[in-house]
Amino acid sequence: MTETAPTAPEGASLHAPVARLLRPLVRLFVARGITFPALTNLLRELYVNVAEYDFALPGKEQTDSRVSLLTGIHRKEVRRLRGAGAPVSAVPVAVSRTSRIVARWLADPAFTDRAGRPSPLPRSAEGGAASFESLVAGVTRDLRPRAVLDEWLDRGLATIDPEGRIVLTESAYVPKGGGEPQLYYFGRNLHDHIAASVANIVGETPPFLERAVHYDGLSEDLAKRLEARAREIAMEALQQANREAHAACETDPGGSHRWNFGLYVYAESVPPAGSGNPA
């Protein structure tokens, strides 16, 4: 009699990569006080939401029974949780305003020098010449440029040089401190990276570029040097993409699409195999 080898549970091949993906998130959850029961409630809501909206059959009503079948969640719970709508991560006003002003300062030839670097700007200027006031006014007229400047000086995004000009101190808008702006980009950027990877897995032809250069078994010195050089290369690519996108938007009629071009650099000391503390 021939024995049949047990069949691996469907989706078992995802267990190891998903565990690795979730580990740093679980580290964040524990650090920020998101308990396992709270995460379970969130995941239950998301499972129902995704099954309801992303797996609906064309021309057919999505039933509680089908959502329950797709998710493994009891129909009573499905009925309670359905109809909530997809979670929306609204862009904080301060994030939207600041990122657009910085992006323009980095990309618009009127506010950069011949090398493409953001020029020091006077507070105001006559005859339509480039100034901090004209920079801000080109993005929003809801706030006085002086209020924006005061906020930026307080946060260290800008300084005043000996000639009284305003100097951008950051080559990009990088929120810090774990507050609302940084958490917004945390959710947005990780969502887009994971969404691109998932689309490449489930689609017949990978639609998105998602690549990485990686080397293992390095000395600490080389890892640090490669990290520093990678930062330089990444910033050059981001600034070039920003300049081209800014110029293209000047003549674009607008629509419902969005685009995100992101890069990351990561390095760590890898614990020995079998140490019980995987990366």
Side-chain angles (χ1 to χ4, degrees):
M1 180 176 178
T2 303
E3 293 186 1
T4 303
T7 304
E10 187 174 0
S13 61
L14 281 174
H15 288 182
V18 167
R20 186 172 189 180
L21 179 155
L22 290 176
R23 187 176 182 86
L25 290 177
V26 171
R27 189 180 303 133
L28 175 65
F29 299 157
V30 173
R32 286 299 185 97
I34 297 180
T35 62
F36 181 72
L39 179 61
T40 301
N41 290 334
L42 175 60
L43 285 173
R44 186 181 293 110
E45 294 174 7
L46 285 173
Y47 260 79
V48 171
N49 184 272
V50 168
E52 180 177 5
Y53 292 97
D54 295 8
F55 287 84
L57 298 174
K60 292 187 177 181
E61 180 183 358
Q62 187 71 303
T63 64
D64 292 347
S65 295
R66 185 163 187 271
V67 172
S68 177
L69 180 65
L70 288 169
T71 63
I73 298 173
H74 195 278
R75 277 188 299 173
K76 183 178 179 181
E77 279 291 276
V78 168
R79 191 176 306 114
R80 181 178 69 85
L81 295 170
R82 282 188 68 178
V88 175
S89 180
V91 184
V93 174
V95 169
S96 175
R97 182 183 66 236
T98 301
S99 63
R100 285 185 295 141
I101 295 172
V102 171
R104 187 182 186 207
W105 199 345
L106 292 168
D108 194 325
F111 300 98
T112 58
D113 60 21
R114 291 182 179 180
R117 296 184 296 263
S119 299
L121 299 175
R123 293 174 187 259
S124 60
E126 301 292 337
S131 68
F132 189 78
E133 287 186 358
S134 64
L135 171 71
V136 174
V139 173
T140 177
R141 294 188 178 276
D142 295 334
L143 282 175
R144 293 184 299 108
R146 180 54 193 254
V148 175
L149 177 59
D150 288 344
E151 177 190 350
W152 284 23
L153 292 173
D154 182 62
R155 292 163 55 186
L157 283 173
T159 59
I160 306 294
D161 71 9
E163 299 178 39
R165 299 175 302 178
I166 301 158
V167 179
L168 183 66
T169 59
E170 299 278 357
S171 56
Y173 175 46
V174 185
K176 302 178 180 69
E180 182 184 29
Q182 187 177 31
L183 291 178
Y184 165 75
Y185 279 113
F186 165 76
R188 178 189 176 107
N189 291 340
L190 281 186
H191 167 275
D192 287 0
H193 191 169
I194 294 173
S197 299
V198 170
N200 289 344
I201 291 173
V202 302
E204 294 183 6
T205 302
F208 296 108
L209 175 67
E210 200 247 345
R211 300 285 188 273
V213 177
H214 52 90
Y215 284 80
D216 301 327
L218 307 178
S219 66
E220 181 180 1
D221 178 67
L222 178 55
K224 287 182 177 179
R225 285 192 285 121
L226 289 175
E227 180 186 358
R229 178 58 182 141
R231 286 174 179 269
E232 294 174 354
I233 296 171
M235 287 308 305
E236 290 170 3
L238 288 169
Q239 289 167 5
Q240 179 65 28
N242 179 48
R243 285 191 292 267
E244 295 189 16
H246 179 83
C249 285
E250 295 296 316
T251 56
D252 185 64
S256 60
H257 284 68
R258 71 180 183 90
W259 164 81
N260 192 9
F261 172 58
L263 293 163
Y264 68 92
V265 180
Y266 184 69
E268 67 173 350
S269 176
V270 182
S275 67
N277 183 31

